[in-house]
Amino acid sequence: MIIIGTFKHSIELEHALTKLESLGLSKERLLVVCMDKESKTFQSDKPNKESSLSTGIEIGLAFATGLSVIGTSLGFIWTWGPVIWGLIFAFIGFFLGFGINTVFAKKHQEHNRHKAEVTVIVQCQAAQADEVQQVMWTNRALTVGLTQASPE
């Protein structure tokens, strides 16, 4: 039997490999492949930048709406009035929301860039197949597939 599982590169992957080896599977029966996240021939950053900009604008508008309500409420007390303070707080809210989104989007993008998927291919006997699949699922495999090995 050939069992194929995909994992995020994490400590759970290491635990799964250790458990598979403890089941009696030799290293020659395990194949671990780190998958590329981007194509080397065609790389396009434009859709990601556009969606990030769109999300930044949406979050900025949400912050602007919230802060303009607060500014308008406070404007009834302050000297320039509710309209001026509502507009001032709206601008502050937009730039605050847009800035926060930009900072978190860059951190999230760099964090995800390093987390590649890893494919684990295990060749085992039919009697071990259920146990190998269970080890993969308990160690947070993203997907697990099973196929018959062709006789040689």
Side-chain angles (χ1 to χ4, degrees):
M1 301 296 288
I2 295 177
I3 301 171
I4 302 169
T6 57
F7 294 83
K8 288 283 186 190
H9 191 84
S10 64
I11 194 70
E12 284 88 6
L13 169 64
E14 301 297 330
H15 286 288
L17 293 174
T18 304
K19 286 181 184 179
L20 290 173
E21 287 179 8
S22 70
L23 290 175
L25 296 168
S26 64
K27 289 185 180 182
E28 291 80 27
R29 300 238 175 237
L30 298 173
L31 177 63
V32 181
V33 181
C34 187
M35 307 304 281
D36 286 335
K37 286 199 95 155
E38 297 177 2
S39 171
K40 302 261 189 235
T41 58
F42 180 73
Q43 294 179 354
S44 176
D45 291 335
K46 195 169 185 177
N48 288 339
K49 286 183 181 178
E50 285 179 359
S51 65
S52 177
L53 178 66
S54 173
T55 304
I57 290 173
E58 289 175 5
I59 291 176
L61 290 174
F63 270 70
T65 302
L67 286 183
S68 68
V69 170
I70 294 171
T72 302
S73 300
L74 293 174
F76 284 106
I77 302 169
W78 295 342
T79 58
W80 290 348
V83 174
I84 299 298
W85 283 109
L87 289 173
I88 290 171
F89 272 64
F91 282 113
I92 292 170
F94 178 79
F95 290 114
L96 182 69
F98 188 80
I100 288 172
N101 180 64
T102 304
V103 169
F104 281 118
K106 285 182 182 178
K107 286 185 180 181
H108 182 69
Q109 189 177 33
E110 287 187 16
H111 180 68
N112 282 343
R113 186 178 299 154
H114 300 295
K115 288 232 174 186
E117 287 186 2
V118 177
T119 302
V120 178
I121 303 172
V122 180
Q123 185 179 15
C124 65
Q125 301 296 325
Q128 294 175 311
D130 288 336
E131 200 171 6
V132 170
Q133 284 181 320
Q134 189 62 31
V135 166
M136 287 185 175
W137 284 123
T138 57
N139 286 289
R140 296 184 182 191
L142 299 174
T143 58
V144 176
L146 173 73
T147 185
Q148 283 280 9
S150 61
E152 294 182 21

